[in-house]
Amino acid sequence: MPPLTPPETDAGLARRLAAHAGELLLRVRSAHGHGDPAALKAAGDRASHDLLLAELATHCPDDAVLSEEDKDSRVVGSVDAGGRLTADRVWIIDPLDGTREFSEEGRSDWAVHVALWARTASTPHRLVAGAVGLPAQHRVLGTDHPPAYPPMTLEAATSGGGRTIRLAASRSRPPVFLTDLADDVGAHLVPMGSAGAKIAAVVTGEVDAYVHAGGQYEWDSAAPVAVATAAGFHASRVDGSPLTYNQADPRLPDLLVCRQELAAPLLAALARQLSGAAAPGSGVPSTGGVPSTGKDTR
């Protein structure tokens, strides 16, 4: 009699779903080509969303799901769409993080996010499993096998002033406050695409930190934060308060993910930047960290 196969863990399922959705997105990308970016974005979003929902319905039929592509995902009100606010387990997914990069030929800085929130978890963020698929990079980062905490690079450890911090930044529109922050801490900006790709770059040691304060939602950061914290990195709001998920309002507009040894100096620098928020035209977000539009400028 063959040995029994152990049941799949939540973290293992997250990894498998992120991998499968990524494989599907690569096929969609190949089949559609890049001649019509809008159509390619729409096709990728829908195909990955449908696959993830079907798999979760099969394997976790009693769990709730919060997906960027659900029509009510951004609705804030008395109606608890899908019962997620009272559920004990909620999968938070972004079927295609970085549609712009996905639609551009040759770009690999886009991702698939799959995370699980559990009411009984002891951590403030309550994320108990997560995986970030980087399909065009042919890798998946997951909480089942968290990446090893990378050593500080020689450049960062020996440069003038103690270190040159590498900050992941939007490749097309880095916010003014981030440029000012980089000047404050002696950092340089490293342009790249999606939020998931940026946090993955922190986890793998390609950059040292990712700071965002332009407006995001829970699905933009849940899976990457789960992986980053499992690997030993710092993750918080830009004012140092905890990141929380499965909230009635899914907007989670700002965050800091960085090496543990950089958390204190970056939070201190952010406090200095945030203290100037009242100055007209400063480009610095208020302590709440998000413009009223909730627009994601990644």
Side-chain angles (χ1 to χ4, degrees), residues 31-58:
H32 279 256
H34 296 81
D36 187 341
L40 177 57
K41 293 175 186 178
D45 272 331
R46 178 48 52 187
S48 183
H49 173 78
D50 289 348
L51 180 150
L52 292 174
L53 256 60
E55 290 288 332
L56 289 171
T58 297

Side-chain angles (χ1 to χ4, degrees), residues 66-77 84 94 216-217 219-220 248-251 293-294 296 298:
L66 172 62
S67 170
E68 179 181 18
E69 297 308 310
D70 284 333
K71 63 182 179 65
D72 296 325
S73 62
R74 292 170 174 80
V75 174
V76 179
R84 69 177 179 86
D94 190 342
Q216 286 184 351
Y217 292 85
W219 47 78
D220 291 307
D249 185 345
R251 290 178 294 178
T293 61
D296 175 10
R298 295 187 190 276

Side-chain angles (χ1 to χ4, degrees), residues 37 102 110 118 123 132 152 225 228-229 256 281:
F102 174 73
W110 50 277
T123 57
V132 178
M152 181 70 77
V225 164
T229 53
L256 164 65

Side-chain angles (χ1 to χ4, degrees), residues 124-125 199 210 221 224-226 228-229 232-238 240-243 245 255-260 263 267:
H125 58 45
I199 297 176
Y210 171 46
S221 65
V225 164
T229 53
F233 290 83
H234 169 90
S236 71
R237 300 286 298 271
V238 294
S241 61
L243 295 161
Y245 293 86
L255 80 162
L256 164 65
V257 179
C258 66
R259 300 181 62 88
Q260 286 287 353
L267 286 170

Side-chain angles (χ1 to χ4, degrees), residues 175 177 210-216 238 252-255 285 289-298:
F177 103 93
Y210 171 46
V211 183
H212 181 83
Q216 286 184 351
V238 294
L252 188 52
D254 59 81
L255 80 162
V290 63
S292 60
T293 61
K295 182 180 178 181
D296 175 10
T297 58
R298 295 187 190 276

